[in-house]
């Protein structure tokens, strides 16, 4: 990194630390009636671009680190998660080619916040910016199979991912797996193992390892089918009927 950039990076870090620290504090004090007002406490994407002085990708990196930390703090019970949606959107608006931000944002929206359609919408934004990457349609298939339990949609997304020029064989195999073994816990287990092995995000790895332990016990017969699987199967029977087109 050049000496000329160092003061700018420090300024960005200080700015984002101040902004996101305020976000976390506001989230701690949030009330249900404040939900629609909360995003007003985040700078707009245009304001962040202005503060970045042309280094949008650097600003995105700094905000991304704070977004992951913010999520981790929520997992520990330090505060709410009111601002996650807007934080994740700010990151990808600043850097539309930030693959991990789309993947993590979509996973949290779909799995933690129960906003499945918002998660898929975020992935679609990424697919528009990066039409040749296999990761984003693969992530959509992963979420369809493990969260919404829509096997048909999952297979369609996996097939789209498999056709991308950079798709590995493993991604191609899942297209066949979900078609021939719909609703199979072992497929869910293998998907979570794949996520755990390939993610660089410690929060995603931690979540994946928790699900892997529960699914492995159910597959081995040493534990029950996880409650979240049973719940999603019940809800999925209703959701699947109205699922939109890929």
């Amino acid at each position: 990194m050049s000496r000329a950039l160092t003061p700018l990076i420090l300024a960005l870090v200080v700015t984002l630390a101040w902004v996101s620290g305020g976000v976390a504090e506001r989230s701690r004090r949030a009330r249900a009636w404040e939900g629609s007002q909360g995003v007003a406490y985040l700078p707009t994407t245009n304001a962040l671009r202005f503060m970045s002085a042309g280094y949008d990708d650097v600003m995105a990196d700094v905000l991304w680190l704070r977004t992951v930390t913010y999520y981790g703090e929520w997992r520990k019970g330090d505060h709410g998660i009111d601002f996650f949606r807007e934080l994740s959107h700010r990151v990808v608006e600043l850097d539309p080619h930030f693959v991990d931000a789309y993947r993590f944002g979509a996973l949290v929206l779909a799995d933690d916040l129960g906003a499945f359609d918002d998660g898929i919408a975020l992935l679609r934004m990424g697919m528009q910016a990066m039409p040749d990457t296999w990761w984003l349609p693969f992530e959509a298939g992963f979420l369809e199979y493990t969260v919404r339990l829509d096997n048909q949609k999952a297979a369609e997304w996996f097939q789209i991912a498999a056709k991308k020029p950079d798709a590995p064989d493993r991604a191609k195999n899942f297209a066949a797996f979900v078609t021939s073994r719909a609703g199979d816990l072992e497929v869910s287990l293998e998907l979570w193992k794949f996520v755990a092995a390939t993610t660089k995000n410690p929060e995603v790895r931690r979540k994946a390892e928790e699900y892997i332990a529960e699914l492995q016990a159910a597959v081995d017969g040493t534990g029950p089918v996880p409650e979240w699987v049973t719940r999603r199967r019940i809800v999925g029977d209703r959701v699947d009927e109205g699922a939109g087109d890929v």
Side-chain angles (χ1 to χ4, degrees), residues 54-75:
Y55 293 94
D56 290 4
D57 55 340
V58 177
M59 178 67 84
D61 288 342
V62 175
L63 188 57
W64 162 249
L65 292 175
R66 189 61 189 107
T67 302
V68 174
T69 303
Y70 177 78
Y71 174 78
E73 291 168 348
W74 170 74
R75 292 261 295 177

Side-chain angles (χ1 to χ4, degrees), residues 191-207:
L191 280 164
W192 278 110
K193 284 182 176 178
F194 182 74
V195 169
T198 55
T199 186
K200 297 179 182 178
N201 186 322
E203 293 297 337
V204 173
R205 186 176 299 109
R206 186 175 297 113
K207 174 190 284 288

Side-chain angles (χ1 to χ4, degrees), residues 106-107 110 116-117 119-121 123-124 136-158 178 183 188 191 232 236 239-240 242-246:
L107 176 61
F116 189 90
D117 290 339
I120 295 297
L123 291 173
R124 289 182 186 275
L136 300 181
F138 181 88
E139 187 76 11
F142 166 74
L143 294 177
E144 290 284 4
Y145 193 86
T146 62
V147 178
R148 185 146 66 176
L149 305 185
D150 187 330
N151 304 313
Q152 180 180 350
K153 290 298 178 187
E156 292 173 8
W157 280 118
F158 284 137
V178 300
S188 293
L191 280 164
R232 288 170 182 171
V239 172
D240 289 350
D245 295 335
V246 169

Side-chain angles (χ1 to χ4, degrees), residues 17-61:
W18 176 77
V19 169
S20 55
V23 164
E25 179 59 27
R26 179 67 180 173
S27 190
R28 291 187 186 97
R29 295 183 285 113
R31 296 293 184 269
W33 63 271
E34 293 175 318
S36 62
Q37 300 176 0
V39 296
Y41 288 81
L42 277 175
T44 65
T45 302
N46 285 338
L48 291 170
R49 287 198 179 103
F50 177 79
M51 287 187 285
S52 75
Y55 293 94
D56 290 4
D57 55 340
V58 177
M59 178 67 84
D61 288 342

Side-chain angles (χ1 to χ4, degrees), residues 208-223:
E209 289 171 349
E210 291 174 0
Y211 282 174
I212 287 168
E214 294 181 12
L215 288 167
Q216 189 69 64
V219 168
D220 293 343
T222 58

